[in-house]
Amino acid sequence: MKAHRDLAAAAIAACVCALGALLLPVEAVRLAFALPLIAFLPGYGIAAASLARRQVELPQILLISVGLSLAVIALGGLVLNYLGGLQPGSWALLLTVIAIAGCEVAALQRQPATEPELQRGPMPRPGLGAAALVLGGLLATAAALVLAFTPVAAKHAVGYSELWLRPFDHGGVTGIRVGLGNEEQKRTGYGVIAKFGDGRRLITRRFILDPGERRVYGILSDRPEARAPERVSVTLYRSDRPNVPYRRVSGWVPAGGGSG
Amino acid sequence: MRRSAGVNVPGTATFKAMQPGTAPTEPGPKQRRAINAGQSRLGSLHAGPLPLIVFATGVGLLLCAVADAISRGTGSNSLAMALYWSGVLVIALPVFFRLTGPAASTTERLFLVCLFGLALYGVKVLRDSPMFTFNDELIHAFNAHQIDLHHHLFRSNPILEVTPYYPGLEGATSALTQLTGLSVYAAGTILLAVARVALLGALFFLFRRVSGSARVAGLGAALYTCNFNFFFYEAQYSYESLALPLLVVILMMLAEREATPREALRSWAAPIGLAAAAVVVTHHLTSYALVISVLALSLAFWVVKRSWRPPNPWPFAIFTAVLALLWLLVVANATVGYLWPPLRSAIEAIGNTVGGEAPPRALFQTGSSYIPATPTAARLVALLAIGLLTLALPFGLFGVWRRYRRQPFAIVFAVAAAGFFGTLALRLAPAAWETGNRASEFLFIGLSFVVASAGLHRWRPRSSALLGRFLMCGGFAVLLIGGAISGWPWDMQLAQPMRVAAGGGTIVSQPLAMAEWAAGEVRGGRFAAPTADANMLMTPGGKQVSAGPSPDVEDILTDPNLASWQLPLLRENQLRYVVVDRRAVSADGIRGYYFVRNNRKEPLLPVGVVSKFQDVPGAARIYANGLITVYDLKGRE
């Protein structure tokens, strides 16, 4: 493979990309290493091996490499499924092995006369204007992406508040978790009343939440020895309408000791 | 140049980077002076058309993003729509104009079609960021999440049972998620961007091999973007979005193989076989389309060359058919139960419509009171697009006959082009609409080639040398926008509010809030929910859900009375949690994910659909956000 620079470069790149994708800590950097390994190198190995004796234009080889790489990863999952599972290490190993194996086969098959030339015409030398235009286009695209990912204000969207209740039983310690969320368009004050049984116990809490804010709190059962679940209802009031139940949820506090 | 099948094929033509004049049609002296003059005017800046086109693409995407932001922020349709389509045209028209001209090199044309396809994909990504929002996307993302969690394929999918048995897309996505730690959304989006580039590039090479013309190839590949499903349906995170590009890559390789010397034909066997196997494990319909395409090609080859010997591709058709059948029988036998009912309904619907027993489907019908009608102007553009395609067809077929009738691929393309108009007729039969829609994106490959062969771009009357090109660009624009209008509901072309900025924070829509709550607070259990809520519960909720008519969850959730069969059915199907959503739109897998808006009609189901579960013995009402309530039928246990 030493005599075939493109094959050697592909094989080395596969190893470097695999290691980089596995070891580097930052996701974006790992992506830069993983993407060639996933979307190009295995396909290039297969294309080079298959078409070793053919003169194929470089852009076409590149395109076929991408297509075959997609095929490899579509099928690769099947292989790994029965060889230990789809894990980072197994993916890196599979793709690297395919890329290197393909390059090795290609090196053996290629005749010196049929080694594909990197047919490059004279590349245009971009001037300042061209560079500015391309940069402008990329910046506009980046701005578009930022805008797409940024929530915008929408006064016509009707806000709401959410309330929920989940019982818990941690080794005999029972109670409920109550959660509320402000998905209104403005800061909102809330009152929450939890009623146990027929009202034998009332627990009131007050909150002021900003839009998007959520609050969760727990209430322990005061009857750890209870033999049956106890009914509980939780009602949410808004501070601007304190006498009107706004949301209501209900459930059961588990019996003490985890038995029902 | 080598001769192949009676047509000059530039088999060893060199790709010269960015050099004008390498297209088979050389610019004349007048055109060459114009090109040189243009270059010399910008010569001091060294700016050529490509940087301008890249710039225009970026600006177009930014316009589309602004339009989506306005749509999310105000719900104002008119301004947002105007900006949106302006953005699409800013992306498209420079590309179209350059492709219709003689000056662009082969490499430049290839770059332009790939850039164009990627840019239109970007339009879809901008609309939906930062999460999947299409019905099928949420289903496939669930599968991908399951693979990430369990590191194995073939996990079950509660909504679309057949999808885990075609794990090509999700398995491929796992390569990226496992190696990078990216989310399924990010990995899937990047993966399909690569597939989109492969699709357009392969179309270019395929058309170039068949036509011998880089110009026809570029036009044909650009025309393919005008098919109804290109903007959204083919761009969604769904298994066909990976399988279709692989199919086109295979067709490209078959075309190259056809031009290969006989002693080297075997060199294509492994790549084609590998790609075909990938299609089989990725998408059922595409694998069947591949078999049909290669069989048709084999037949066309025999018609032209009277030979079944290589390079006749029939062995690949047999190989793919055997593989697809094996996969169907051994792994994915649920596919028959999935595909046959709609196909049978389509056949029956065609018979009923033709026989007059059922009225034809009205075009652009909405079927619901909460869906605004498609404006008349939009309908006219869509119909005009069909009209233009119909008009171009005979010219294209004539062009194909005159120049390419000895090319088997060209014959198949011509048949496919005619077949496309048959799929339009299927849209008039209500139950056959979906079949026609799905078939059209395959047949449009042939139609693109045929229309590109019509040669309008070569029309140069004395009064205006550029008239043909301008007309073609105008036609392209109508086809692109008309195709997009036909392929996706008008009211959903733009982004809708799912995450909204308010008071320094971010608030989310009710279905999304409910799904996020379920993801964090509910362990195990299965949910019964309306379609949109069920999809959200799968992704991002990661929950097992049931929705729709089988089991009959949809009737339970819309009936204000608790009939005697309802609770037993829920228990029988182990549906412990019931999500009741009063929004009628919650049954809509396209529209049901967003905020209720105060500037549009939002029909509600009666209160009884919620209150009927209140008195179920042992049931707990565990979540409420106003319009969505979740019950735990085993709350007391």
Side-chain angles (χ1 to χ4, degrees), chain B residues 14-26:
Chain B
T14 303
F15 265 77
K16 289 188 182 155
M18 316 310 178
Q19 293 292 317
T22 56
T25 308
E26 290 287 333

Side-chain angles (χ1 to χ4, degrees), chain A residues 18 20-22 26-28 30-32 34-35 37-39 46-47 50-61 63-64 66-68 70-75 77-89 91-92 95 119-138 140-141 143-167 177 182-187 210-214 216 228-229 231 246-252 260, chain B residues 10-19 45-48 51-52 54-55 57-59 61-62 65-66 69 71-75 107 110 125-126 129-130 147 151-154 167-169 171-172 174-176 178-182 185 190-191 194-195 197-198 201-202 205 208-209 242 246 249 252-253 256 260-261 264 267-268 270-271 274-275 277-278 281-282 327 497 499-510 513-514 516-517 521-523 577 595-599 614 618-626 632 635-636:
Chain A
L22 285 174
V26 181
E27 257 178 32
R30 285 164 66 183
L31 177 63
L35 204 52
L37 183 62
I38 284 166
I46 295 171
S50 304
L51 306 173
R53 298 174 189 273
R54 291 265 304 131
Q55 189 85 353
V56 183
E57 294 163 333
L58 179 63
Q60 235 169 336
I61 279 283
L63 192 279
I64 292 172
V66 171
L68 290 180
L70 292 175
V72 163
I73 56 177
L75 289 165
L78 264 183
V79 172
L80 294 180
N81 190 58
Y82 299 105
L83 290 179
L86 286 72
Q87 311 269 4
W91 270 118
L95 298 175
Q119 298 161 338
R120 295 192 197 103
M123 290 294 291
R125 295 171 67 181
L128 200 58
L133 285 169
V134 171
L135 187 62
L138 291 174
T141 304
L145 281 169
V146 169
L147 187 56
F149 276 78
T150 305
V152 296
K155 295 298 179 197
H156 67 307
V158 176
Y160 61 95
S161 302
E162 57 177 354
L163 179 71
W164 54 265
L165 176 156
R166 294 299 283 151
R177 291 173 71 241
N182 179 1
E183 308 289 340
E184 307 280 356
Q185 292 268 12
K186 60 186 191 317
R187 172 180 280 197
D210 286 320
E213 199 178 347
R214 290 171 181 165
V216 181
R231 183 86 176 163
Y246 187 52
R247 298 278 182 263
R248 183 173 285 147
V249 291
S250 60
W252 277 268
Chain B
T12 55
T14 303
F15 265 77
K16 289 188 182 155
M18 316 310 178
Q19 293 292 317
L45 296 176
H46 300 282
L52 269 169
V54 171
F55 179 73
T57 299
V59 169
L61 286 172
L62 186 56
V66 170
S71 173
R72 288 200 305 267
T74 68
T107 304
L110 172 64
V125 171
L126 292 174
S129 300
I147 292 171
H151 301 289
H152 282 88
L153 306 177
F154 307 121
L169 172 70
S174 113
L176 206 44
Q178 294 288 325
L179 281 175
T180 62
L182 286 176
Y185 170 76
I190 292 169
L191 181 70
V194 174
V197 171
F205 284 117
R208 191 181 74 119
R209 173 57 69 187
L242 177 60
L246 286 173
V249 169
M252 180 205 77
M253 290 195 286
E256 292 301 317
T260 299
S267 59
W268 291 102
L274 182 73
V281 308
T282 301
W327 193 261
R499 293 176 188 271
V500 163
T506 301
I507 58 176
V508 301
S509 68
Q510 280 152 307
M514 182 271 300
E516 289 178 345
W517 162 79
E521 295 297 333
V522 180
R523 300 279 175 265
Y577 300 101
F595 271 95
V596 171
R597 270 131 308 166
N598 58 20
N599 58 0
Q614 190 65 39
R621 178 177 163 133
I622 59 175
Y623 177 92
N625 68 20
D632 176 359
R636 196 172 188 277

Side-chain angles (χ1 to χ4, degrees), chain B residues 156-376:
Chain B
S156 68
N157 185 291
I159 293 289
L160 218 49
E161 184 194 348
V162 77
T163 52
Y165 300 116
Y166 292 91
L169 172 70
E170 293 91 335
T173 307
S174 113
L176 206 44
T177 57
Q178 294 288 325
L179 281 175
T180 62
L182 286 176
S183 66
V184 168
Y185 170 76
T189 301
I190 292 169
L191 181 70
L192 290 187
V194 174
R196 180 56 68 97
V197 171
L199 169 66
L200 272 296
L203 268 180
F204 178 87
F205 284 117
L206 171 62
F207 291 164
R208 191 181 74 119
R209 173 57 69 187
V210 177
S211 66
S213 164
R215 199 157 159 194
V216 169
L219 292 173
L223 270 166
Y224 184 74
T225 67
C226 304
N227 93 68
F228 301 155
N229 296 329
F230 192 82
F231 257 77
F232 291 121
Y233 195 84
E234 277 180 40
Q236 66 175 335
Y237 182 70
S238 175
Y239 40 12
E240 188 180 321
S241 302
L242 177 60
L244 182 58
L246 286 173
L247 178 145
V248 179
V249 169
I250 292 169
L251 294 180
M252 180 205 77
M253 290 195 286
L254 285 172
E256 292 301 317
R257 175 180 175 271
E258 198 184 307
T260 299
R262 183 157 289 191
E263 59 273 12
L265 284 175
R266 282 189 186 175
S267 59
W268 291 102
I272 295 173
L274 182 73
V279 171
V280 166
V281 308
T282 301
H283 187 228
H284 35 70
L285 281 178
T286 307
S287 63
Y288 310 150
L290 179 61
V291 172
I292 293 170
S293 307
V294 183
L295 275 175
L297 189 61
S298 308
L299 197 57
F301 196 96
W302 182 82
V303 166
V304 170
K305 298 182 195 293
R306 297 292 172 188
S307 169
W308 293 109
R309 296 178 63 195
N312 191 311
W314 67 266
F316 293 105
I318 303 295
F319 171 76
T320 310
V322 167
L323 216 56
L325 187 63
L326 275 174
W327 193 261
L328 179 69
L329 294 175
V330 175
V331 178
N333 44 36
T335 309
V336 176
Y338 170 65
L339 291 179
W340 175 240
L343 191 57
R344 184 184 58 211
S345 300
I347 295 169
E348 285 171 2
I350 294 166
N352 291 339
T353 303
V354 168
E357 292 170 33
R361 174 179 168 269
L363 298 180
F364 303 107
Q365 65 175 5
T366 64
S368 297
S369 60
Y370 57 80
I371 302 173
T374 305
T376 306

